[in-house]
């Protein structure tokens, strides 16, 4: 299979196939980037005329022998796969991501903008109660933690956001979050539902769109 | 649109036909300009010189001629184009008239130099933007792993949210709050039930004598009417707690602060 | 991170780090499996205790030098990417990228070269308002993020480019932006206020930042 086209072949001399080492690089790149295993026939179609993908695959297979990834044959196609003995390293790849609930994201937003903030203050700002599960979820995600107790009667605990939170939202500090006026100026404050979220109830949506005409309200510190 | 009164450095080879075509193209494209600076940059190209050696005076003339022509053709120009026209007319007078020693403020030369800087900077940004877009780009020139491998072992749910979600959620809450119906606002009266409901959980923490006024709700201490009402209701509520054996109350002398502390049931 | 524990360390002898060659295989497997860049920190967390991912990455990088796929550095992270000279083979993999408006492209370039940059500065450079949605779009693409607030009156938010941006444009860091040095030398990245400009008046926009004026409290664990 290696020398199909002799030097006498006119096409081959006009469009000489790249050297085998180069073909090997090509196969490597194609297999790496492809979303599914690639057959020899397909490789033959994609490599420059006169290439010998079978030989290139064979060389590559040897090159990856014993490495962290291997070139394996699946049916009559080829693909890179993690070496089986290293599968334990891959277990983290299988996390299912779900959008945070609206209650949780609102609670989180209030904590981020008003920290340190007590639960009573969160409820006051949101206008509805905050369920224990919401706070627990945010604590468990390590996006919020307990801050200093407030020096008022009852010494309520306060909540603040964590490094993990800053990390997730690529923020250097919670102070860098834009205020309401800035949100509006940046065009971020519109009544378009956030991507992936269910549209808000129509009644609330109506109220909101009217909110953008009057002079922008200022964010004010929580009581 | 080229101004015959003004010399155009390096622009002498522009035939009147080309100039007319260029002028017409500009008129047609007026919507395509991204603001006065963009228009100025385009006009400056007709001078065919390095932006650092551009004649700002000639440029001002060109711009003003452009605006006049647009007016003649009854093209509606956005306000910022007109603001720029006014500024350039001012700049032109500064450049042409001898400097007035009594006049404070920047000289015409300084203003012209800054405009030239702005044009040069905008052009430089456009150049690098084009260079940036021409780089090896992911998904076009270089490629990531096509088939991400995931070994289905641990299935864990991870909750996530984007920064936009966060900021929009906050905006949603705060704007909603602004429009809370007036009737829902609390009046200047704190009822004893409210004070009691408030005091009951708070007193559970107060093992030490604490001034009664510390228990007034936030926002009720400053306004005298609200303060009186809150004080009365909280005092009545504290008496109720004392009656139930949940608290102790004391006042060292007349008009001295009234102090309150939790009473342990085992005492 | 570089000095692995000597054999005297009891922990190290009980849980000895795998040999460097083995660590290299592990890094190779993890990086190969992931489409997005993996940070050194994450590698450190995934490799067995005591591993030195930095050294492993360096060895791997040499190993892949000149191959069909290359190990590239993106900010603090690493990823395998196909060699640019083989792009012609990849036409089938090409994903149609969202067409960016000219305004968005310019805004992106200004953020990249002037970062951290405020919205007002972007508008000053372009000579025109940043339209609603442009910043939004760049944020959504994860090409820009919020930087530190500028410590000037009004404390405006700033924007900076992200690692995703670097990855997309094959840049190791923002310092490698094309023409950056020349622009700086020509003074075109200076923030030059217009002559006779009044210093910007303190905006009444500051309510939000006042919220954050007290130093953030240290969290203390709840009793």
């Amino acid at each position: 299979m290696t020398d199909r086209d002799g030097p006498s072949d006119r096409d081959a001399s006009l469009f000489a196939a790249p050297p085998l080492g180069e073909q090997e690089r090509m196969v490597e790149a194609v297999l790496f980037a492809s979303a599914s295993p690639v057959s020899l026939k397909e490789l033959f179609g994609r490599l420059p005329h006169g290439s010998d993908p079978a030989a290139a695959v064979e060389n590559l297979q040897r090159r990856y022998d014993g490495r962290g990834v291997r070139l394996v044959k699946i049916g009559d196609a080829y693909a890179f796969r993690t070496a089986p003995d290293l599968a334990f390293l891959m277990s983290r790849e299988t996390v299912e991501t779900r959008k945070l609930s609206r209650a949780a994201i609102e609670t989180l937003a209030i904590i981020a903008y008003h920290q340190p903030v007590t639960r009573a203050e969160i409820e006051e700002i949101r206008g509805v109660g905050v369920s224990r599960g919401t706070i627990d979820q945010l604590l468990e995600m390590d996006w919020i933690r307990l801050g200093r107790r407030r020096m008022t009667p009852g010494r309520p605990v306060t909540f603040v956001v964590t490094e993990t939170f800053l990390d997730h939202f690529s923020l250097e500090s919670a102070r860098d979050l834009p205020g309401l006026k800035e949100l509006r100026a940046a065009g971020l404050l519109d009544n378009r539902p956030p991507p992936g979220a269910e549209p808000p109830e129509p009644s609330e949506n109506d109220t909101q769109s009217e909110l953008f005409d009057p002079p922008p309200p200022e964010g004010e510190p929580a009581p | 649109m080229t101004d015959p009164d003004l010399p155009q450095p390096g622009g002498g080879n522009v035939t009147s036909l080309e100039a007319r075509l260029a002028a017409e193209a500009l008129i047609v494209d007026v919507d395509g300009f991204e603001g006065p600076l963009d228009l100025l940059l385009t006009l400056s190209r007709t001078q065919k010189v390095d932006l650092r050696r551009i004649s700002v005076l000639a440029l001002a003339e060109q711009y003003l001629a452009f605006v006049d022509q647009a007016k003649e053709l009854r093209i509606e120009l956005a306000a910022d184009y007109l603001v720029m026209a006014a500024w350039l007319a001012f700049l032109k007078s500064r450049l042409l008239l001898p400097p007035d020693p009594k006049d404070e403020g920047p000289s015409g030369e300084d203003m012209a130099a800054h405009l030239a800087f702005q044009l040069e900077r905008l052009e430089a940004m456009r150049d690098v933007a084009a260079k940036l877009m021409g780089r090896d780009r992911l998904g076009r020139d270089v490629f990531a792993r096509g088939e991400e491998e995931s070994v289905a072992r641990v299935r864990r749910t991870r909750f996530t949210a984007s920064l936009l979600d966060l900021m929009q959620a906050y905006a949603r809450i705060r704007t909603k709050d602004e429009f809370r119906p007036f009737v829902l606002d609390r009046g200047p009266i704190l009822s004893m039930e409210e004070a009691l409901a408030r005091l009951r959980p708070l007193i559970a923490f107060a093992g030490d004598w604490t001034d009664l006024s510390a228990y007034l709700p936030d926002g009720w201490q400053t306004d005298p009417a609200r303060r009186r009402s809150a004080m009365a209701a909280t005092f009545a509520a504290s008496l109720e707690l004392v009656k139930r054996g949940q608290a102790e109350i004391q006042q060292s002398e007349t008009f001295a602060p009234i102090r309150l502390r939790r009473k342990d049931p085992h005492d």
Side-chain angles (χ1 to χ4, degrees), chain A, chain B:
Chain A
M1 183 135 186
T2 32
D3 47 336
R4 255 169 325 187
D5 296 329
S8 60
D9 189 310
R10 197 167 165 260
D11 273 357
S13 58
L14 267 178
F15 307 100
L20 193 55
E22 209 34 38
Q23 293 180 34
E24 213 184 294
R25 289 183 71 228
M26 291 173 180
V27 170
E28 190 175 29
V30 168
L31 293 185
F32 172 82
S34 172
S36 50
V38 186
S39 67
L40 274 187
K41 193 176 152 209
E42 218 182 320
L43 283 173
F44 194 72
R46 285 175 76 172
L47 262 56
H49 184 80
S51 297
D52 183 353
V57 163
E58 210 172 294
N59 284 2
L60 257 186
Q61 243 167 347
R62 267 198 299 276
R63 182 182 283 275
Y64 277 93
D65 192 35
R67 305 290 319 151
V69 289
R70 290 187 188 177
L71 182 47
V72 297
K73 191 172 182 189
I74 297 155
D76 58 355
Y78 292 88
F80 282 113
R81 290 284 179 263
T82 309
D85 65 307
L86 299 179
F88 72 98
L89 289 170
M90 301 298 133
S91 53
R92 285 196 188 188
E93 300 294 311
T94 61
V95 281
E96 184 195 339
T97 43
R98 292 235 308 260
K99 276 268 178 210
L100 212 54
S101 72
R102 179 168 163 157
I105 189 82
E106 288 186 5
T107 304
L108 182 66
I110 292 168
I111 295 172
Y113 274 90
H114 291 268
Q115 64 171 345
V117 65
T118 67
R119 187 181 164 134
E121 287 161 354
I122 298 171
E123 294 184 335
E124 161 115 26
I125 295 169
R126 269 196 82 207
V128 279
V130 174
S131 83
R132 203 199 161 85
T134 302
I135 298 268
D136 282 350
Q137 184 189 13
L138 295 173
L139 281 169
E140 206 176 301
M141 292 173 78
D142 192 26
W143 277 3
I144 64 167
R145 62 176 174 81
L146 296 170
R148 273 193 199 294
R149 279 180 184 273
R150 185 63 56 78
M151 286 304 135
T152 53
R155 309 218 325 146
V157 294
T158 63
F159 299 98
V160 296
V161 293
T162 62
E163 281 292 318
T164 315
F165 166 90
L166 296 177
D167 238 31
H168 180 90
F169 291 98
S170 304
L171 290 165
E172 289 171 40
S173 91
R175 293 168 209 219
D176 297 327
L177 282 168
L180 282 186
K181 215 178 219 180
E182 291 165 310
L183 289 176
R184 181 174 290 100
L188 290 170
L189 219 177
D190 56 16
N191 44 4
R192 201 172 48 124
E198 72 273 56
E201 304 86 78
S203 61
E204 185 185 333
N205 206 1
D206 286 348
T207 333
Q208 263 208 3
S209 55
E210 282 167 28
L211 294 180
F212 300 116
D213 293 328
E218 288 294 340
E220 40 181 66
Chain B
M1 128 158 239
T2 44
D3 197 321
D5 296 334
L6 283 154
Q8 291 208 322
N13 55 350
V14 180
T15 69
S16 62
L17 178 67
E18 276 172 356
R20 213 169 55 235
L21 285 177
E24 276 161 18
L26 288 178
I27 299 296
V28 173
D29 282 344
V30 73
D31 285 335
F33 284 104
E34 300 218 25
L37 211 55
D38 184 28
L39 173 56
L40 277 169
L41 191 56
T42 306
L43 289 173
S44 72
R45 295 217 173 93
T46 62
Q47 292 192 15
K48 298 198 172 159
V49 292
D50 189 313
L51 271 179
R52 262 165 286 193
R53 282 181 288 130
I54 198 163
S55 160
V56 170
L57 186 57
L59 189 61
E61 294 280 2
Q62 279 176 287
Y63 187 94
L64 293 172
F66 171 84
V67 170
D68 282 345
Q69 200 167 344
K71 272 187 200 144
E72 257 171 53
L73 294 173
R74 296 177 190 206
I75 291 173
E76 206 61 51
L77 281 179
D80 48 347
Y81 286 86
L82 301 178
V83 170
M84 177 62 91
W87 187 82
L88 286 173
F90 173 69
L91 171 61
K92 188 179 140 189
S93 69
R94 285 243 155 173
L95 288 172
L96 291 176
L97 298 174
D100 181 351
K102 280 177 291 178
D103 197 2
E104 285 176 21
S107 71
E109 277 73 25
D110 287 346
M111 289 161 65
H114 188 72
L115 180 61
F117 167 74
Q118 282 179 296
L119 291 173
E120 205 192 329
R121 183 173 61 180
L122 180 59
E123 182 159 84
M125 280 300 115
R126 292 199 170 154
D127 278 357
V128 292
K131 272 188 205 155
L132 195 60
M133 291 297 147
R135 284 187 64 82
D136 286 338
R137 289 171 62 182
L138 190 64
R140 189 187 74 181
D141 308 296
V142 297
F143 296 85
R145 179 78 169 125
E147 193 180 7
E148 278 199 274
E149 284 180 69
S150 51
V151 180
R153 283 235 172 118
V154 186
R155 197 166 280 281
R156 192 158 56 92
T157 307
R158 190 182 70 186
F159 287 93
T160 185
S162 73
L163 185 62
L164 282 179
D165 296 339
L166 186 78
M167 296 189 298
Q168 278 164 344
Y170 186 67
R172 192 167 60 221
I173 303 161
R174 294 321 306 255
T175 45
K176 187 171 65 191
D177 201 41
E178 294 298 318
F179 277 71
R180 200 170 43 160
F182 174 72
V183 287
L184 286 188
D185 278 341
R186 282 176 290 193
I189 307 293
L190 187 71
S191 74
M192 195 190 118
E193 283 74 18
E194 283 173 273
L196 193 58
R198 201 185 132 71
L199 208 51
R200 210 183 290 118
L202 293 185
I203 193 78
F205 291 93
D208 285 326
W209 290 109
T210 308
D211 194 332
L212 190 63
S213 62
Y215 289 102
L216 300 191
D218 280 319
W220 288 72
Q221 290 101 328
T222 40
D223 177 8
R226 283 162 71 93
R227 187 184 156 83
R228 271 196 300 278
S229 165
M231 184 58 99
T234 306
F235 180 58
S238 62
L239 291 180
E240 177 65 23
L241 288 179
V242 171
K243 194 173 122 194
R244 292 183 197 172
Q246 291 169 346
E248 294 175 295
I249 197 165
Q250 64 157 231
Q251 187 178 30
S252 52
E253 57 180 302
T254 316
F255 296 121
I258 297 166
R259 300 193 301 166
L260 198 64
R261 78 169 175 194
R262 182 188 65 215
K263 187 174 185 221
D264 267 312
H266 312 293
D267 281 359

